[in-house]
Amino acid sequence: MTSDRTLPTRPGDSSRMVVRRMGVTLIEVVLVVMILGAAALATSFSMRSDWSNRRAAKASTIDVSQLLKIARNTAIEKRTTVHVAYSGKTGAMQVDIVEDAGPLTPGRTWSAPLASEVEIKGKPNPIDFLADGSANSSLQWQVVSDGVQGEVSVTPVGGAVQYKVP
């Protein structure tokens, strides 16, 4: 790391002064960067599963909240009541949406399957969105994906759909 070299103090002077140079070599810098990179890589492998589980739970929570928003918007647009429920067992879960016949359109029914690792927990089941956008009751579902949980809620007065992601 250090090297000694001697320099004359004055031309023709036989006495010499010792100068020490402090610093690191390029090889030492490369070794430190390689060690830090290896440590970061090892840490990323241990955190990867938790990160992907949170990401999957976040996506599933947003999907369920979007389905509820679509149902609410359909009730407002078609001036009818829209019923939303979840059905199935773990691994085969789906959200069922039933639109009543309205003054302008016939009713219809559709289902939205959820990912196989997604489970919805909570009450009430089902919830109805009315023509003015309000809901007949409050709703609070926990959307669980690979052990990580998000939350979707609906307020009855305005029918506002909100979600909290992990």
Side-chain angles (χ1 to χ4, degrees):
M1 282 237 244
T2 62
S3 65
D4 293 340
R5 60 184 178 166
T6 57
L7 298 172
T9 53
R10 285 181 260 166
D13 190 3
S14 62
S15 65
R16 301 203 177 249
M17 181 173 72
V18 175
V19 177
R20 290 189 171 249
R21 184 181 62 82
M22 300 297 288
V24 294
T25 65
L26 180 61
I27 291 176
E28 292 168 331
V29 171
V30 168
L31 285 174
V32 169
V33 169
M34 287 175 55
I35 291 169
L36 291 175
L41 183 64
T43 303
S44 72
F45 283 126
S46 68
M47 295 176 69
R48 181 165 297 182
S49 65
D50 184 47
W51 176 80
S52 64
N53 289 349
R54 277 196 331 263
R55 185 173 173 173
K58 178 180 179 180
S60 298
T61 302
I62 292 171
D63 287 347
V64 170
S65 72
Q66 291 299 321
L67 286 170
L68 290 170
K69 287 178 183 179
I70 289 170
R72 180 179 180 269
N73 290 340
T74 300
I76 294 169
E77 180 182 317
K78 305 278 178 89
R79 296 185 207 149
T80 188
T81 301
V82 176
H83 311 279
V84 180
Y86 63 90
S87 61
K89 299 179 253 178
T90 303
M93 187 83 43
Q94 66 184 27
V95 175
D96 299 318
I97 301 171
V98 178
E99 173 188 334
D100 288 347
L104 304 174
T105 59
R108 69 179 183 160
T109 301
W110 70 94
S111 295
L114 301 175
S116 61
E117 68 276 356
V118 175
E119 181 180 1
I120 296 178
K121 299 178 180 180
K123 300 237 177 211
N125 183 23
I127 186 168
D128 298 335
F129 289 102
L130 308 176
D132 64 355
S134 63
N136 67 337
S137 63
S138 63
L139 173 133
Q140 189 166 5
W141 285 346
Q142 288 77 40
V143 181
V144 182
S145 177
D146 291 328
V148 182
Q149 177 176 306
E151 185 177 296
V152 177
S153 61
V154 176
T155 57
V157 174
V161 179
Q162 299 174 333
Y163 65 90
K164 293 179 187 172
V165 292

